[in-house]
Amino acid sequence: MQHRGRWLEFAARPLALPRQRFAGVWLTLRDVTERRRAERLRTALDAAREELLRKEKRAALGGLVDGIAHEIGNPLGVAVTAASLAQDQLHELRASFEAGILRQRDMRHHLQQALAAADMALANLRRAAALVAGVKQIALDSSEKVREDMSIGTYVSTVVASLSSLSSGTPHRVGVDVRADPVVSVCPAALAQVVTNLVHNALTHAFPAGRPGRVVVWVDLVAGGLVEIGCRDDGVGMSAATLLRIYEPFFTTARDQGSGLGLYIVHNLVTDLLRGTIVARATPERGTTVVVRFPARPGDS
């Protein structure tokens, strides 16, 4: 009960004496004001934290939607403009042909302009398609969330081997170092996407044109029963300012070579599906290392 701004806890229990069934009642009255205040404060803090999380999620979703609209809108806008230019050139070509005034020089000019515009439209449509595919990877469907028991080192080696086309025709080398090969329970699709994006990101951003490099993916079992998957390159590295932004959606240092969703997707997969952590370290001209750690069994997280 509450009395004059204080919370009091009242309790009563029978008082028994030898050879007597009932000798009275034992009454206790205790001041629990501080405990009630602490409970109220804890409840208020929990509510405030939940509201803050909701606001952060709404803000993140709003930022993601704005980013998607902006990033996909740009290539689509360029594609529409290029297609319109190609159409104009072809209309002029047809008009000259039907009027009987088409010269070889004019035909060559119109065809060159139309082909250049078509190439530009196609390149930007492919970029938009890649962005859409990247966005779809952010939320894996339920079939991709199924866990399986597998030898993690063997599986990662298989995934990296399947990525040979990424480095074929380049001076770069991609290797695997299996330091441990424990059987773990993991989402295969999520793990494959993580490894693929890490390797692709390294090959795309670490080595400028003409500079050969090496990418190494390793698998290990570390303290606490955690699986460790790392990706290290000997490329150009990155600045501290860039390192702070690598998990932001659509942030990229090579706009013409990627969507900027690779590490954002990796971060989501590691923290949500694999229930682990991801840490990146980089120094300009000394390469980049990304380390992912997650529990071998879901119940360990």
Side-chain angles (χ1 to χ4, degrees):
M1 66 178 180
Q2 190 173 18
H3 177 68
R4 295 181 180 179
R6 310 291 295 181
W7 284 95
L8 305 176
E9 186 177 75
F10 176 80
R13 64 178 180 178
L15 178 62
L17 294 176
R19 298 180 182 180
Q20 296 185 18
R21 286 188 174 183
F22 180 75
V25 177
W26 182 271
L27 300 177
T28 59
L29 191 64
R30 185 169 51 179
D31 189 336
V32 294
T33 303
E34 294 305 318
R35 190 185 73 187
R36 292 299 298 270
R37 287 176 179 172
E39 290 174 351
R40 285 188 168 186
L41 179 60
R42 184 165 56 250
T43 300
L45 289 175
D46 289 342
R49 182 176 57 187
E50 291 178 2
E51 179 62 22
L52 180 60
L53 288 174
R54 283 194 293 269
K55 288 182 178 179
E56 288 180 348
K57 289 180 179 179
R58 286 196 296 268
L61 179 59
L64 180 59
V65 171
D66 289 343
I68 292 172
H70 175 74
E71 293 296 330
I72 295 181
N74 280 345
L76 288 181
V78 174
V80 169
T81 301
S84 177
L85 176 60
Q87 185 182 52
D88 291 343
Q89 293 296 323
L90 292 174
H91 278 315
E92 291 183 21
L93 182 61
R94 184 178 64 180
S96 298
F97 175 76
E98 291 177 348
I101 58 174
L102 180 62
R103 295 176 298 180
Q104 185 177 11
R105 181 180 60 186
D106 294 333
M107 183 175 69
R108 184 181 298 109
H109 170 75
H110 288 310
L111 288 177
Q112 286 177 343
Q113 293 293 315
L115 286 173
D119 289 342
M120 182 181 297
L122 184 59
N124 280 273
L125 288 174
R126 284 173 174 166
R127 179 182 167 196
L131 285 165
V132 172
V135 171
K136 289 172 65 177
Q137 284 294 332
I138 294 174
L140 299 176
D141 61 38
S142 58
S143 65
E144 294 177 303
K145 296 181 181 179
V146 177
R147 288 182 173 270
E148 295 181 15
D149 287 347
M150 60 176 57
S151 298
I152 192 74
T154 302
Y155 183 70
V156 170
S157 297
T158 303
V159 172
V160 174
S162 71
L163 302 176
S164 59
S165 61
L166 296 179
S167 57
S168 62
T170 73
H172 313 314
R173 293 179 298 162
V174 179
V176 181
D177 179 12
V178 179
R179 305 169 186 173
D181 192 12
V183 175
V184 303
S185 177
V186 72
C187 303
L191 182 59
Q193 189 68 32
V194 167
V195 174
T196 299
N197 281 6
L198 289 179
V199 173
H200 181 270
N201 194 70
L203 292 173
T204 300
H205 300 283
F207 313 113
R211 173 171 174 169
R214 179 169 173 78
V215 178
V216 176
V217 177
W218 76 84
V219 183
D220 202 355
L221 192 63
V222 297
L226 296 177
V227 176
E228 179 179 277
I229 297 177
C231 182
R232 179 177 62 251
D233 66 68
D234 57 0
V236 296
M238 66 184 83
S239 67
T242 299
L243 188 61
L244 289 174
R245 302 187 60 191
I246 59 174
Y247 304 125
E248 293 181 14
F250 303 111
F251 174 74
T252 178
T253 58
R255 178 63 61 192
D256 59 334
Q257 299 183 52
S259 64
L261 287 171
L263 286 180
Y264 177 70
I265 292 171
V266 169
H267 184 274
N268 283 0
L269 292 175
V270 170
T271 56
D272 293 342
L273 287 186
L274 300 182
R275 304 177 189 178
T277 60
I278 178 171
V279 176
R281 298 185 296 272
T283 304
E285 299 303 326
R286 299 186 63 180
T288 300
T289 300
V290 181
V291 178
V292 171
R293 289 182 176 178
F294 56 91
R297 297 286 166 181
D300 297 341
S301 57

